[in-house]
Amino acid sequence: MHDKDASVKLDDPTTEEASSYMPYDLLPPSDNWVANSTRRLSRIDLQMAITKVKRFVESRLETDLNLFEVSNESSLYSLMHNTECLILTSSSPCQHTAPIAFKSGTGVNDELDGSESKSPVRFKVPNQFVPRGITPKPLSELSPEEQEEAKRYAMDCEVIQSLAKWKRIMLDRLKVDVGEGIYCSSTSIRKGYKGDVTHSVIADQWDYEIRIKEEDRNVETLKSYVNKIWKIMTDAEAYILQEYPSIILEGHPTAAFRLPKDITFITAEELHAKYPSLDVHGREDAAVREYGAVFIIGMGWPMNDGSDPEEVRSPAYDDWKLNGDIIVMHPLTGYRHELSSMGIRVDSDSIVAQLKHRGMGDQVDLPYNRAVINSSLPFSYGGGIGISRLLMLLLRTAHIGEVQCGVWHDEHYRMVSGCGIDLIPDRIVDLKSKEEVSDDKAMHP
């Protein structure tokens, strides 16, 4: 068991080497370290709490958005493939699998902000038969005929970064009616993100996509879905705090924190005007400290005064005038905590305008983009809820790596362990400093 005494004095991680790895202001304030629930919940209890939150949220997504339960067979598939997808219909329950990779060059993957650093993990599938235990010859050692044969069926592929576009393709494939859709639990790799307290290269989320009418492509539709998602989140908080009261450190200043009953809607332009002297994250920090929780409408287009957009977004799935993020304040970190991104999807006009704005007009003929332009895909609303982000908030942990198994640098482990943060490791981790390792080698050459 991993029960800890909350009165134990924690080490100060502020070393010169650690500070060069991750800024100290990304760590929770030292006064809040003791409020981390992993100081009171055992490692087993934490995993049980994670399971309960997931089951609660998934059950409410199924009922509040008319979803059906996943069967044992689909659960088994999920365990094998790390991804599951349910069909949301008004008829009998059925199952749908979801991808973990896409063929490159189709326009289906999420390009995030479009930069090379945020590009997907790529790999090649040779599609060659190679007997077990035999290392295939390098391409350069093959004859011209063999090289041509080897290239003929090879595929360039990439790991998913999100299922935003793929889900819309599935709506068309399944021929679902308006108000029906699909719901997925997915895991992707975001290699371009440097790990910190709230960011991991492993991104897990509940994905959903619902067919809507063209006339429902408006802000009111967007707000109605935001309110449904927000109600699930606030009810989940009340549920898990009742199940595990020790998540809260009574008497600590953070103990009184609760999500507000209602979420505040504010446009990116209004936020920019309200806090003109602050940068993007500064504005969002100020907003969540004032309101507790906000949904910022309109992510992607520059501000009217020409300043940078609230966030750079992919031009080919959300309509930048009809999208947004749910952002709250995390009680332990004391700063903005993004929980969900969602929006009404692009139509033929908005996708062309957004591709042109981003200097990506040459991508109009990618199969997915062309399907949107030709109005071959259904109008839809969709989004994703960060699973680990929501767990980190509801379970009051100080680091996302306490509720998911991420991939962290050794220096990251050393830095956060001094704060009492208990990362779930992907390997055997030695928390000795470089100096201690050097001393060990000198003593035991």
Side-chain angles (χ1 to χ4, degrees):
M1 303 296 282
H2 188 60
D3 296 302
K4 305 185 189 110
D5 181 356
S7 66
V8 172
K9 184 178 184 299
L10 302 174
D11 295 330
D12 186 350
T14 55
T15 65
E16 181 178 348
E17 182 180 27
S19 64
S20 67
Y21 175 77
M22 184 170 66
Y24 298 127
D25 58 5
L26 293 181
L27 291 169
S30 57
D31 289 346
N32 289 351
W33 294 353
V34 73
N36 189 348
S37 68
T38 59
R39 302 286 302 161
R40 293 171 299 286
L41 295 179
S42 72
R43 287 172 171 164
I44 292 176
D45 285 341
L46 181 63
Q47 291 303 310
M48 292 176 66
I50 287 172
T51 300
K52 288 190 175 187
V53 171
K54 287 182 175 180
R55 287 176 177 170
F56 180 92
V57 173
E58 289 167 359
S59 175
R60 287 291 298 276
L61 286 171
E62 292 162 8
T63 55
D64 293 23
L65 298 179
N66 301 317
L67 288 166
F68 288 94
E69 289 186 343
V70 62
S71 72
N72 291 334
E73 181 181 349
S74 183
S75 295
L76 177 60
Y77 188 92
S78 172
L79 291 172
M80 294 169 62
H81 294 268
N82 204 31
T83 305
E84 68 187 30
C85 180
L86 309 184
I87 299 175
L88 169 143
T89 69
S90 56
S91 57
S92 59
C94 52
Q95 306 166 25
H96 201 296
T97 58
I100 59 174
F102 296 124
K103 189 174 183 292
S104 299
T106 65
V108 176
N109 209 357
D110 184 349
E111 62 271 27
L112 302 178
D113 66 7
S115 66
E116 179 58 32
S117 67
K118 301 296 193 300
S119 62
V121 174
R122 298 186 174 97
F123 60 97
K124 186 178 287 291
V125 177
N127 274 326
Q128 297 180 60
F129 172 73
V130 180
R132 288 188 177 185
I134 303 299
T135 302
K137 292 181 180 179
L139 200 62
S140 59
E141 295 181 13
L142 301 178
S143 68
E145 293 78 13
E146 290 173 326
Q147 289 187 27
E148 185 62 30
E149 184 69 17
K151 293 177 181 178
R152 181 176 301 171
Y153 302 112
M155 294 192 305
D156 291 317
C157 301
E158 53 198 48
V159 176
I160 67 167
Q161 298 207 108
S162 87
L163 300 181
K165 302 175 190 177
W166 176 85
K167 292 178 295 179
R168 192 172 177 183
I169 295 172
M170 292 302 102
L171 295 186
D172 180 59
R173 182 176 187 270
L174 298 170
K175 305 304 179 188
V176 301
D177 293 329
V178 170
E180 297 179 346
I182 63 172
Y183 159 71
C184 313
S185 175
S186 65
T187 302
S188 58
I189 298 175
R190 306 281 181 86
K191 66 177 177 59
Y193 288 90
K194 182 178 179 181
D196 59 35
V197 170
T198 61
H199 292 87
S200 169
V201 297
I202 307 299
D204 54 347
Q205 60 183 25
W206 289 293
D207 274 297
Y208 56 90
E209 198 80 13
I210 299 171
R211 183 170 187 165
I212 62 174
K213 298 177 182 178
E214 183 175 9
E215 55 265 35
D216 291 332
R217 298 187 70 259
N218 55 60
V219 172
E220 292 310 310
T221 298
L222 176 65
K223 288 181 177 181
S224 71
Y225 280 112
V226 171
N227 283 326
K228 289 181 180 181
I229 297 298
W230 183 246
K231 184 68 165 63
I232 294 172
M233 291 179 175
T234 55
D235 286 354
E237 179 187 53
Y239 162 75
I240 200 62
L241 293 183
Q242 182 177 20
E243 291 288 305
Y244 290 90
S246 60
I247 286 173
I248 301 297
L249 179 59
E250 292 298 336
H252 191 271
T254 61
F257 174 86
R258 297 294 185 277
L259 295 174
K261 179 182 178 182
D262 298 314
I263 192 166
T264 297
F265 291 94
I266 187 169
T267 69
E269 282 290 346
E270 291 168 340
L271 194 67
H272 180 61
K274 187 175 179 66
Y275 308 105
S277 63
L278 300 177
D279 63 12
V280 169
H281 282 184
R283 293 196 293 268
E284 293 172 359
D285 279 338
V288 296
R289 286 169 183 154
E290 180 173 350
Y291 301 111
V294 295
F295 183 79
I296 303 173
I297 301 173
M299 299 279 205
W301 286 111
M303 299 294 107
N304 289 337
D305 63 5
S307 57
D308 291 340
E310 187 68 20
E311 186 169 278
V312 177
R313 287 293 172 88
S314 166
Y317 57 88
D318 280 346
D319 185 320
W320 292 344
K321 295 179 180 179
L322 297 170
N323 68 345
D325 289 349
I326 292 178
I327 303 177
V328 303
M329 187 189 75
H330 192 290
L332 269 63
T333 67
Y335 54 78
R336 63 180 292 282
H337 193 78
E338 182 184 330
L339 293 176
S340 181
S341 179
M342 63 189 77
I344 291 172
R345 305 310 194 186
V346 287
D347 61 7
S348 56
D349 293 330
S350 56
I351 190 174
V352 171
Q354 291 173 186
L355 285 169
K356 182 179 179 180
H357 171 75
R358 290 287 301 279
M360 299 164 68
D362 58 335
Q363 294 189 14
V364 294
D365 287 323
L366 290 177
Y368 177 85
N369 297 344
R370 179 52 58 187
V372 174
I373 293 169
N374 292 341
S375 300
S376 300
L377 295 175
F379 296 105
S380 66
Y381 154 84
I385 301 169
I387 296 174
S388 293
R389 288 276 184 87
L390 185 61
L391 289 169
M392 179 184 169
L393 174 75
L394 300 186
L395 300 182
R396 305 296 196 265
T397 68
H399 196 293
I400 196 170
E402 295 180 293
V403 294
Q404 69 152 237
C405 184
V407 183
W408 312 100
H409 192 277
D410 288 349
E411 195 54 50
H412 193 106
Y413 277 98
R414 282 191 282 269
M415 186 174 186
V416 303
S417 66
C419 308
I421 289 172
D422 186 40
L423 299 182
I424 300 172
D426 67 309
R427 60 192 184 277
I428 296 174
V429 180
D430 187 351
L431 294 179
K432 292 179 181 178
S433 67
K434 290 182 178 180
E435 292 75 15
E436 290 173 316
V437 171
S438 297
D439 291 342
D440 284 349
K441 287 182 178 178
M443 293 177 63
H444 305 285

